[in-house]
């Protein structure tokens, strides 16, 4: 097993981990990022198909109040555009009632999407880092105190470092990584009972050659309590030249296979739009509970955002050498991209104080 020495080890190459590394690169310290997946991005997952609109299967929307995220995107020269909802929505209250077109209430809050897909943020951050900063396919198994620092054992590598920042979901940490000495009962129990953003979600996107839902007397905004579709939105690209619908479907449909879900969703869209809904180019989906680097053994129901932003996540552990970070740990916009970025900023400030002494 190869051994590497570094000042800081970041566990997880999602938005928190990459943002933290982006800030650390200008300090005179060494760092490494380990990532269990073969690719980076975490719960930012954009599917790109040639000549089709990018499909978001993970983090998607920003609002103006998410100032840290907006500022970071401007710094990276990544443009955003307004999500189009329209003035009406297709609404189906239950199986017994047909869908109807209803007027949407006035909404002064603007939602934004990233112009070339949210994954472009991940790519931009990674491109700013030194070469060989990220080790993929390295699932961390243990963190131990060692010679006044820490020893981290991963799939095929071992790391010796001064500080480690775990950015994976706290529940995943609690089930997959052991520490020596053991963490306190309070923090272990807290991590185990922290809701993981997207853990109950199934994201779906469908691309088309024509945006028939933009025609008069229909809509690309769908709210339904019948069938698989729960909420869908116009997911066309920024200049409205490539067209798609995207949104969330009933989490209970995880019991179906991909083909069964696709057939039921297309059939439901057919009831809204007619046979033109059958002429799709591609169907994309992500069942997040099946993503083993996001969630393991989800057998306990947790209300969304349970224990997100808890004060214990603002503490350090293992003699002030272990930081627990990530979207779920932030008290600001927990679970959102803003939460991931503000968590990285908070840890960076603490590390900067330590290493500037």
């Amino acid at each position: 097993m190869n051994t590497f020495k570094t000042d800081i080890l970041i566990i997880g190459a999602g938005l928190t981990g990459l943002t933290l590394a982006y800030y650390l690169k200008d300090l005179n310290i060494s760092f490494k990022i380990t990532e269990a997946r073969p690719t980076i991005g975490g719960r930012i997952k954009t599917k790109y198909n040639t000549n089709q609109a990018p499909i978001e299967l993970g983090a998607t929307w920003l609002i103006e109040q998410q100032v840290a995220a907006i500022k970071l995107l401007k710094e990276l020269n990544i443009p955003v555009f307004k999500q189009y909802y329209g003035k009406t929505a297709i609404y189906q209250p239950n199986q017994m009632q047909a869908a109807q077109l209803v007027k949407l209430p006035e909404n002064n809050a603007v939602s934004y999407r990233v112009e070339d897909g949210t994954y472009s943020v991940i790519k931009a951050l990674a491109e700013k880092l030194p070469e060989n900063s990220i080790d993929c396919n390295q699932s961390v198994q243990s963190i131990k105190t060692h010679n006044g620092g820490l020893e981290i054992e991963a799939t095929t590598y071992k790391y010796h470092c001064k500080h480690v920042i775990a950015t994976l979901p706290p529940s995943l940490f609690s089930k997959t990584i052991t520490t020596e000495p053991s963490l306190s009962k309070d923090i272990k129990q807290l991590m185990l009972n922290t809701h993981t953003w997207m853990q109950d979600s199934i994201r779906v996107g469908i691309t088309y050659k024509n945006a028939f839902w933009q025609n008069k007397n229909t809509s690309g905004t769908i709210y339904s309590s019948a069938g698989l579709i729960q909420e869908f939105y116009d997911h066309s690209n920024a200049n409205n030249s490539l067209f798609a619908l995207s949104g969330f479907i009933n989490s209970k449909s995880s019991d179906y296979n991909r083909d069964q879900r696709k057939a039921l969703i297309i059939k439901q869209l057919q009831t809204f739009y007619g046979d033109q809904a059958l002429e799709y180019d591609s169907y994309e989906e992500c069942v997040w509970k099946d993503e083993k680097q996001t969630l393991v053994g989800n057998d306990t129901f947790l209300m969304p955002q349970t224990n997100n932003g808890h004060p214990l996540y603002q503490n350090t552990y293992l003699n002030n050498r272990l930081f627990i970070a990530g979207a779920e740990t932030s008290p600001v916009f927990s679970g959102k991209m803003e939460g991931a970025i503000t968590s990285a900023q908070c840890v960076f400030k603490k590390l900067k104080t330590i290493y500037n002494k």
Side-chain angles (χ1 to χ4, degrees), residues 158-179:
K158 188 178 289 185
Y159 302 89
H160 290 160
C161 62
K162 298 174 184 176
H163 296 92
V164 62
I165 297 86
T167 71
L168 67 170
S171 178
L172 184 66
F173 183 114
S174 70
K175 295 175 182 178
T176 59
I177 300 176
T178 61
T179 65

Side-chain angles (χ1 to χ4, degrees), residues 44-64:
I44 290 181
K45 189 172 185 179
T46 309
K47 185 67 171 67
Y48 296 96
N49 295 321
T50 304
N51 296 325
Q52 295 179 18
I55 294 296
E56 302 293 3
L57 299 173
T60 305
W61 294 280
L62 298 162
I63 59 175
E64 291 177 343

Side-chain angles (χ1 to χ4, degrees), residues 32-92:
K32 270 277 192 180
I33 307 173
T34 63
E35 171 53 52
R37 294 176 173 89
T39 56
I40 62 176
R43 283 166 285 171
I44 290 181
K45 189 172 185 179
T46 309
K47 185 67 171 67
Y48 296 96
N49 295 321
T50 304
N51 296 325
Q52 295 179 18
I55 294 296
E56 302 293 3
L57 299 173
T60 305
W61 294 280
L62 298 162
I63 59 175
E64 291 177 343
Q65 291 82 356
Q66 295 171 342
V67 292
I70 297 295
K71 182 179 179 182
L72 178 62
L73 265 61
K74 286 182 179 178
E75 193 173 315
L76 295 170
N77 294 314
I78 296 176
V80 298
F81 67 104
K82 291 181 180 180
Q83 169 68 51
Y84 177 74
Y85 295 106
K87 296 182 179 180
T88 59
I90 295 171
Y91 174 60
Q92 188 171 14

Side-chain angles (χ1 to χ4, degrees), residues 292-350:
K292 300 307 180 186
Q293 285 80 32
T294 299
L295 196 71
V296 172
N298 180 33
D299 52 7
T300 302
F301 174 77
L302 293 171
M303 289 293 291
Q305 296 200 327
T306 297
N307 288 321
N308 283 190
H310 194 282
L312 285 181
Y313 288 130
Q314 315 317 313
N315 298 338
T316 54
Y317 298 90
L318 298 183
N319 197 26
N320 296 321
R321 295 190 179 277
L322 169 64
F323 296 77
I324 301 172
E328 284 82 10
T329 71
S330 175
V332 180
F333 286 98
S334 301
K336 310 294 185 183
M337 286 188 278
E338 179 78 0
I341 292 166
T342 55
S343 175
Q345 291 174 337
C346 180
V347 173
F348 172 69
K349 288 177 183 177
K350 293 177 182 178

Side-chain angles (χ1 to χ4, degrees), residues 12-33:
L15 183 56
T16 302
L18 292 173
T19 301
L20 176 58
Y22 170 72
Y23 293 134
L24 288 172
K25 68 181 175 58
D26 293 327
L27 298 184
N28 189 29
I29 55 177
S30 59
F31 63 85
K32 270 277 192 180
I33 307 173

